Amino acid sequence: MEQLDRFNTLCETGRIVWQPAARGWLAEPDTVVAALAADGFHEYKRELLKFGGRRAPTGGIWQGLDERTGAVASALWIARDEEREIIVFVEINGTPLHGGHGG
């Protein structure tokens, strides 16, 4: 598994919080993406999804490549409700990162 120092710092400082029932992270997607980029993953894909007449995206996907190792990080997020609670799912090489495990 990749060294994910910045991602781990988000966990330790409570900037992202594991949600067991959702099996994902309660987080701002840009915060997660910035941490993965700082950990060496260079963005190669980013898509936003808008549903209905909503102005804000209802979800999205980001993927980054660590050119040193060939590892791929993926972050997928969805807005769960109108209050903008956003759940982010993170994987490295297809292995989900879950609570207590940032890398």
Side-chain angles (χ1 to χ4, degrees):
M1 185 62 68
E2 299 296 300
Q3 281 293 99
L4 299 174
D5 297 329
R6 297 284 173 92
F7 187 87
N8 287 334
T9 298
L10 292 178
C11 299
E12 293 164 4
T13 60
R15 292 193 58 205
I16 66 173
V17 178
W18 178 249
Q19 298 292 301
R23 297 184 183 158
W25 299 93
L26 181 59
E28 287 297 322
D30 288 340
T31 300
V32 173
V33 166
L36 292 170
D39 283 329
F41 293 94
H42 301 285
E43 179 178 306
Y44 71 85
K45 182 177 186 175
R46 182 182 196 113
E47 306 258 343
L48 298 177
L49 171 67
K50 292 186 178 186
F51 183 72
R54 294 178 65 170
R55 291 184 182 155
T58 55
I61 186 170
W62 177 93
Q63 290 183 312
L65 173 67
D66 185 333
E67 294 174 351
R68 301 166 297 174
T69 65
V72 175
S74 301
L76 171 83
W77 59 91
I78 57 168
R80 290 178 27 155
D81 55 32
E82 291 298 320
E83 295 173 11
R84 302 291 304 149
E85 181 178 71
I86 301 172
I87 300 296
V88 182
F89 304 94
V90 182
E91 293 185 350
I92 306 294
N93 288 331
T95 301
L97 298 185
H98 50 80
H101 179 77

